[in-house]
Amino acid sequence: MRMDAGTGVVGLIGHPVGHSKSPEMMNRAFRARGLPFVYLAFDVSPQELETAVRGMQALGFRGWNVTIPHKVAILEYLDEVEETAREIGAVNTVVSRNGRLIGYNTDSEGYLRSLVDETGLELAGQRVLILGAGGAARAVAHALAVAGVESITIANRTREKAERLAASLGRKVDARALSLAEVARVAGETTLLVQTTSVGMYPETEAIPIDPSLLHEGMTVSDLIYRPRKTLLLREAEARGARVHGGLGMLLHQAALAFEKWMGRAAPVDVMRDALEEAMK
Ligand code: ATR
């Protein structure tokens, strides 16, 4: 790829960022579309966040992705925050447009695209059980609520966090909260189980967040973890005849949506998927 004085920059800020697959996906996407941009990852400590934001703005970055631990703190430096991101309370994509910084959350729509694409699931009428109540759970819960599912139960180790999330969905969907230990009460009627905690993530791959005997063939089981590609939860679900959905697609589609916001055109999703799969090896 040619780099010259006209090359534009987008990037990622987080702490740490060394594990990110976004540079591979985005740079491959720019090359596939013949766009004169590079995507770089920057490790920015919380103390340096404001300086980094002002620096990127001064240097004319087209935009950037935001990851842990800056997804909430970044809001304070933005001129405008799009409605979904405001409701979730977290931004993962910033666009710099005419000197103004605009925040979006593409995790939410990215999750939905991946789920519907890969499972063909009809969202209307789903009785959803979400395990976890952190940032990822918020993005998924808001997406599913807006998509018109029938009900959402949030089950979390710390029950108060589940209650807060359920309350924030109140107007959109029938929402309830439980502690993780109480999931047996709703598992039987659940048609879509979404796992958003870190339980089962590499290197603790033999951990599982719920009793596998609660899984059944009337469920789609979706796990946001992508390392390993198939968690113990998904293996147990599959063994009981449930439909399963892994976390890699969300990573792909949130990136594709960020590309679209910066570049104003469709992302080369297949190229990005290949880059992601290669980066995962
Ligand atoms: P993310 O942005 O990935 O959602 P987070 O906001 O830190 O990360 O949220 C992590 C979620 O995983 C929380 O719901 C957390 O439960 P608590 O609110 O009780 O902390 C959940 N979690 C993490 N480790 C867990 C474990 N060992 N068992 C059960 N839940 C766990």
Side-chain angles (χ1 to χ4, degrees):
M1 184 194 121
R2 180 175 162 165
M3 284 207 229
D4 60 22
T7 304
V9 188
V10 284
L12 166 70
I13 56 169
H15 184 64
V17 290
H19 61 280
S20 174
K21 309 297 176 212
S22 294
E24 279 103 326
M25 278 192 283
M26 292 295 189
N27 287 311
R28 195 85 78 82
F30 293 144
R31 288 203 297 277
R33 287 280 186 260
L35 292 165
F37 280 86
V38 292
Y39 184 102
L40 301 170
F42 301 98
D43 192 325
V44 174
S45 70
Q47 297 84 327
E48 296 285 4
L49 178 61
E50 180 172 12
T51 314
V53 168
R54 297 306 166 217
M56 291 188 290
Q57 202 173 15
L59 294 172
F61 279 40
R62 172 70 61 96
W64 54 89
N65 283 131
V66 182
T67 188
I68 292 164
H70 305 313
K71 285 184 175 188
V72 177
I74 189 85
L75 268 88
E76 155 175 10
Y77 308 112
L78 305 178
D79 299 301
E80 207 177 302
V81 179
E82 169 256 5
E83 191 184 342
T84 308
R86 222 173 28 234
E87 286 182 356
I88 297 166
V91 159
N92 79 329
T93 302
V94 175
V95 179
S96 178
R97 198 174 287 140
N98 306 320
R100 289 172 62 76
L101 299 181
I102 306 158
Y104 298 89
N105 189 307
T106 68
D107 288 332
S108 204
E109 178 67 23
Y111 175 72
L112 278 191
R113 274 204 197 177
S114 162
L115 179 67
V116 171
D117 255 34
E118 290 167 47
T119 67
L121 204 64
E122 179 66 59
L123 294 172
Q126 295 290 332
R127 291 184 297 277
V128 180
L129 171 60
I130 297 179
L131 307 182
R138 277 208 304 277
V140 167
H142 278 272
L144 291 171
V146 172
V149 299
E150 185 177 309
S151 64
I152 299 182
T153 302
I154 321 276
N156 195 45
R157 181 174 61 179
T158 315
R159 190 185 160 134
E160 302 83 79
K161 261 167 79 181
E163 277 161 9
R164 254 179 279 146
L165 175 50
S168 80
L169 300 173
R171 286 171 293 118
K172 293 201 185 73
V173 68
D174 170 14
R176 285 170 289 173
L178 293 176
S179 77
L180 202 50
E182 297 171 311
V183 290
R185 285 167 43 187
V186 296
E189 70 196 45
T190 296
T191 57
L192 172 61
L193 172 70
V194 190
Q195 197 306 106
T196 74
T197 78
S198 48
V199 179
M201 191 187 293
Y202 178 85
E204 311 284 344
T205 53
E206 291 312 300
I208 186 162
I210 78 168
D211 177 351
S213 71
L214 298 173
L215 305 169
H216 56 80
E217 65 182 5
M219 273 181 178
T220 298
V221 179
S222 171
D223 196 330
L224 301 198
I225 292 173
Y226 54 85
R227 207 161 163 240
R229 295 284 293 270
K230 208 173 258 177
T231 57
L232 179 57
L233 174 71
L234 294 187
R235 285 182 274 133
E236 292 284 357
E238 212 165 44
R240 287 168 175 78
R243 183 154 51 171
V244 301
H245 172 243
L248 206 65
M250 179 177 181
L251 190 63
L252 170 67
H253 286 285
Q254 62 78 29
L257 287 159
F259 176 102
E260 288 168 14
K261 301 230 177 289
W262 295 322
M263 300 297 144
R265 60 164 89 180
V269 177
D270 292 338
V271 168
M272 295 174 77
R273 184 183 290 110
D274 289 348
L276 180 56
E277 304 235 331
E278 273 171 43
M280 291 293 298
K281 277 183 194 149

